[in-house]
Amino acid sequence: MYEKIKTWLKKINPCYVIITVLVCIIIFLSCLLFRSDICDNGNTINDIRTEFDRIEETKSDIAGTTEQLEQSTSAIEGGLNDLQDRIESIEISNSISQDASNKIDELIGECQSIIEQVRKQHE
């Protein structure tokens, strides 16, 4: 295999090798020297980097807003749970008040019947 490569290299004109090497060097140097001014639709790399930085800042702002919304949601859920507990305690209090009111009505009715019996006895 080494012999095949050696014979192939002997067939190649040295002028072509030198030209190929020079073209590769020119391409390499142009990439190194002019890479800061490479454009994409009129935008330089620095403009694109600046835009990416802005996008990252916006992403951070959105993440912060999301955290605040989650905290607000948690606070609202806690408030709703407290409100539900208060409603339940009010319903219990209303039930107790209704029972007490019914008992008072019964007592008033009994007192009135006692008073009527006492009046009838004194008459």
Side-chain angles (χ1 to χ4, degrees):
M1 172 118 173
Y2 178 72
E3 293 297 323
K4 287 183 182 180
I5 294 174
K6 192 175 182 181
T7 57
W8 182 73
L9 287 175
K10 285 182 183 178
K11 290 181 185 177
I12 296 176
N13 190 349
C15 187
Y16 292 133
V17 173
I18 292 172
I19 290 173
T20 304
V21 169
L22 285 176
V23 168
C24 289
I25 290 173
I26 289 171
I27 291 172
F28 178 74
L29 288 177
S30 66
C31 287
L32 286 178
L33 294 175
F34 300 112
R35 70 180 174 171
S36 65
D37 293 329
I38 294 174
C39 293
D40 181 41
N41 294 332
N43 295 329
T44 62
I45 290 177
N46 289 333
D47 291 341
I48 293 170
R49 285 183 183 150
T50 303
E51 189 66 26
F52 279 138
D53 290 342
R54 287 182 191 153
I55 290 170
E56 286 294 325
E57 289 174 5
T58 304
K59 181 181 172 184
S60 298
D61 291 344
I62 290 171
T65 303
T66 303
E67 289 178 16
Q68 290 175 350
L69 287 173
E70 288 174 355
Q71 291 173 354
S72 296
T73 302
S74 297
I76 289 171
E77 287 175 353
L80 288 175
N81 289 337
D82 290 344
L83 185 60
Q84 188 174 9
D85 291 343
R86 288 180 185 171
I87 289 172
E88 288 174 0
S89 66
I90 288 172
E91 288 175 347
I92 291 170
S93 296
N94 284 341
S95 173
I96 293 170
S97 297
Q98 188 67 32
D99 291 343
S101 176
N102 291 339
K103 288 182 182 180
I104 290 173
D105 288 342
E106 289 175 10
L107 289 174
I108 290 174
E110 288 178 14
C111 288
Q112 286 175 346
S113 66
I114 292 171
I115 290 172
E116 285 181 25
Q117 289 175 1
V118 169
R119 282 186 186 160
K120 286 181 183 179
Q121 288 177 358
H122 285 353
E123 288 183 1

